[in-house]
Amino acid sequence: MQNGMHTDTERCVRAVRSKDARFDGWFFTAVLTTRIYCRPSCPVVPPKPENMTFLPSAAACQQAGFRACKRCRPDTSPGSPEWNQRADLVARAMRLIADGVVDREGVPGLAARLGYSTRQTERQLLAELGAGPLALARAQRAQTARVLIETTPLPMADVAFAAGFASIRTFNDTVREVYALTPSELRTRATKTASSPPPPAFAAQAAGASSDIPGTPGTPGTPGTAGTGTGTRTGAPGTLTLRLPFRAPLNPDNLFGHLVATAVPGVEEWRAGAYRRTLRLPYGHGIVALTPRPDHIACRLTLSDLRDLTVAISRCRRMLDLDADPVAIDGQLRTDPVLAPLVDKAPGRRVPRTVDEEEFALRAVLGQQVSTAAARTHAGRLVTAHGDPVDDPEGGLTHLFPSAGSLAELDPDSLAMPRTRRTTFTTLVSRLADGGIHLGPDSDWAETRARLLALPGFGPWTVDVIAMRALGDPDAFLPTDLGVRRAAAELGLPATPAALTGRAAAWRPWRAYAVQYLWATDTHPINFLPA
């Protein structure tokens, strides 16, 4: 699928008539007669083509005066996969908006992070998405508010504050405008629906998250939210239970296997069938437990500040690569007769990523030329000495991974590693702390690669693994990686890095996913879901 699909009217009409959930998030159907907008998979009878118009974002629909359909909840559609596979201004801006930057720093802050003027940023977002950064952030705030209204007992003033609204009046006006209901009516409606039988199930592949309240709009199997999520308030204050659906298929083996096999003691663990970890967030910290299910990822999230809800869910989705388009990715990789059997055997592999780009880069250096176990040991010592303590009554998590700023003053001699790698580590810490290198959802991939390569001890493998798992470049490739070379030899692919890179040109722009399939030929623990 290409950018601007909403302009292809004939294609959009076909998708709406077939109720194809694969297109949810790619475009939105606005009905001129009812002034309602829907996702393509909406279960209601499609309107006549002459009564439909198509827009590129929920924010654009809201800005044009359309209200969200109460059946399919289009405002909660998953984000376009393009935002995680592109590195241009619009894609970087969308990742930052999902990370809450507009709410925290305003549009000038967003533009400054992107290296463009406010006017340029607004113009490009408006041209591609039909809405500027303020409207996009407003749509996200409205959805976060809906989550909290429908699934928690929080007072409305607290909901407004947690969702990022500047005033109760703005909160009330926005909810009423977007949903054609007052906040109190939304909560009453959700409570009544919870006591009624659940509606027929829909395909969950394109949903983003759904509620654990039986029968609510967002019940398991019905479309939910991508960037914010819906769920139930349970247990301690700030604890929510969420469902994070995904575009199917999804193979959890390498995804969770990799995260658990490389888990840093005190920061990450596998407990009772769930991957658990601590989260450093803009307003506080959190602990998340993620459990793979057949049609969703179960998510239990505890936050010290509910204002971090949207950001936490966005980062967890990014870590698990839940917004990927596996049909497009696997379809491209299957064109290679060597990869086709690997894809057919276990389709839907994702790239295990991270919730903290700086953390991953530091861990990549700690893992240079050592075993997985040794890398975990090094990282665990660093966490114990310099991480911020957290309380975890439900498990064995003890710390947040230390920030670059907190590591800037550490004594290099305290690092039990060879002198050259110690220099590599401390130099990276220094560049991250002083802003010489910036790692985040807004990073320019090419510029960041160049700056990392200029650091002592940074070769292609380290830079590409950071590009793949921290920056999210779907085309990052590791031709010198031992596991990749072993798989290549076993499969009869070229043996030298240069020749293998040449052969891998046919896998572009999905070489990072090809790496997952190549790694899966090995018996390393990263390839297996823990028992």
Side-chain angles (χ1 to χ4, degrees):
M1 301 177 199
Q2 71 275 8
N3 185 26
M5 182 183 170
H6 69 285
T7 62
D8 188 340
T9 299
E10 183 179 347
R11 192 178 183 194
C12 290
V13 168
R14 288 200 305 269
V16 171
R17 284 176 169 171
S18 63
K19 305 184 188 303
D20 195 334
R22 292 176 301 169
F23 293 94
D24 288 353
W26 285 100
F27 71 90
F28 296 82
T29 306
V31 184
L32 300 174
T33 51
T34 62
R35 306 302 295 176
I36 298 294
Y37 74 97
C38 302
R39 60 174 76 208
S41 64
C42 184
V44 302
V45 177
K48 296 177 180 179
E50 59 265 30
N51 292 330
M52 289 188 278
T53 188
F54 303 103
L55 295 169
S57 67
C61 295
Q62 294 169 15
Q63 193 161 270
F66 294 91
R67 299 192 308 274
C69 172
K70 293 183 174 70
R71 284 291 301 276
C72 69
R73 297 178 57 147
D75 55 306
T76 67
S77 289
S80 167
E82 286 195 84
W83 310 142
N84 289 332
Q85 71 189 49
R86 289 165 42 186
D88 56 24
L89 168 63
V90 172
R92 291 162 57 208
M94 289 301 289
R95 292 196 288 268
L96 281 176
I97 291 170
D99 207 51
V101 166
V102 171
D103 291 335
R104 297 192 300 274
E105 303 174 20
V107 178
L110 172 70
R113 284 177 175 251
L114 295 168
Y116 287 79
S117 70
T118 299
R119 185 169 176 270
Q120 286 174 308
T121 302
E122 290 177 334
R123 186 172 63 243
Q124 291 205 36
L125 284 170
L126 188 62
E128 182 162 341
L129 295 168
L134 284 176
L136 291 161
R138 175 179 179 268
Q140 182 168 279
R141 283 195 297 274
Q143 176 53 25
T144 301
R146 183 175 189 165
V147 170
L148 296 172
I149 290 168
E150 294 184 338
T151 66
T152 79
L154 284 175
M156 292 302 177
D158 291 347
V159 169
F161 173 73
F165 287 95
S167 69
I168 297 294
R169 180 176 179 178
T170 303
F171 161 70
N172 287 330
D173 290 347
T174 299
V175 171
R176 189 181 298 111
E177 181 180 340
V178 172
Y179 301 114
L181 295 169
T182 66
S184 296
E185 288 169 341
L186 263 182
R187 179 164 283 173
T188 300
R189 182 175 179 270
T191 302
K192 289 180 179 178
T193 311
S195 61
S196 63
F202 294 91
Q205 62 183 20
S210 54
S211 173
D212 275 347
I213 305 175
T216 58
T219 42
T222 61
T225 100
T228 50
T230 59
T232 57
R233 181 76 174 274
T234 59
T239 298
L240 295 161
T241 299
L242 312 165
R243 290 172 178 256
L244 307 180
F246 43 77
R247 288 179 170 89
L250 179 143
N251 187 318
D253 293 356
N254 74 300
L255 182 59
F256 284 87
H258 209 125
L259 294 172
V260 174
T262 59
V264 176
V267 174
E268 304 165 283
E269 69 173 1
W270 180 260
R271 181 181 291 267
Y275 166 74
R276 304 178 74 246
R277 71 153 294 149
T278 58
L279 305 169
R280 184 183 297 277
L281 298 165
Y283 294 106
H285 68 271
I287 292 176
V288 67
L290 298 162
T291 306
R293 303 294 189 201
D295 64 350
H296 67 277
I297 303 296
C299 172
R300 180 177 170 84
L301 185 61
T302 301
L303 301 172
S304 63
D305 191 317
L306 277 175
R307 288 177 295 175
D308 286 322
L309 173 64
T310 301
V311 175
I313 294 300
S314 176
R315 293 184 183 181
C316 289
R317 291 190 64 83
R318 185 166 164 80
M319 176 177 67
L320 299 181
D321 198 17
L322 297 184
D323 291 319
D325 184 351
V327 174
I329 295 166
D330 288 352
Q332 175 69 21
L333 299 182
R334 279 193 181 98
T335 62
D336 188 314
V338 174
L339 291 186
L342 304 180
V343 176
D344 291 339
K345 180 181 178 181
R349 292 193 183 277
R350 300 299 206 270
V351 177
R353 291 185 172 139
T354 182
V355 294
D356 187 320
E357 295 83 1
E358 289 191 359
E359 172 191 317
F360 184 84
L362 294 169
R363 289 170 58 174
V365 172
L366 292 176
Q368 286 179 333
Q369 300 178 339
V370 299
S371 67
T372 299
R376 294 178 70 234
T377 298
H378 286 315
R381 289 172 180 163
L382 200 70
V383 164
T384 301
H386 302 282
D388 298 325
V390 298
D391 183 36
D392 176 23
E394 298 181 6
L397 303 180
T398 59
H399 291 82
L400 300 174
F401 195 89
S403 66
S406 68
L407 295 173
E409 302 301 323
L410 66 77
D411 179 4
D413 291 335
S414 66
L415 298 172
M417 61 180 68
R419 183 180 301 273
T420 54
R421 197 172 338 124
R422 190 185 308 162
T423 300
T424 300
F425 184 82
T426 55
T427 303
L428 175 61
V429 166
S430 177
R431 294 290 80 78
L432 291 173
D434 66 17
I437 289 179
H438 171 69
L439 299 176
D442 56 318
S443 294
D444 181 292
W445 295 343
E447 178 184 339
T448 302
R449 284 172 180 269
R451 293 193 178 194
L452 289 172
L453 277 171
L455 298 181
F458 270 76
W461 182 90
T462 304
V463 172
D464 279 315
V465 80
I466 291 172
M468 180 173 70
R469 295 195 55 200
L471 302 183
D473 183 354
D475 201 38
F477 190 49
L478 306 174
T480 63
D481 180 81
L482 181 59
V484 169
R485 296 180 68 181
R486 283 177 178 168
E490 182 180 331
L491 297 169
L493 292 168
T496 66
L500 183 57
T501 300
R503 172 61 183 275
W507 306 339
R508 306 191 77 166
W510 309 117
R511 292 184 301 177
Y513 294 87
V515 168
Q516 308 309 312
Y517 284 105
L518 293 175
W519 275 342
T521 63
D522 200 354
T523 57
H524 194 283
I526 65 170
N527 293 314
F528 300 95
L529 190 68

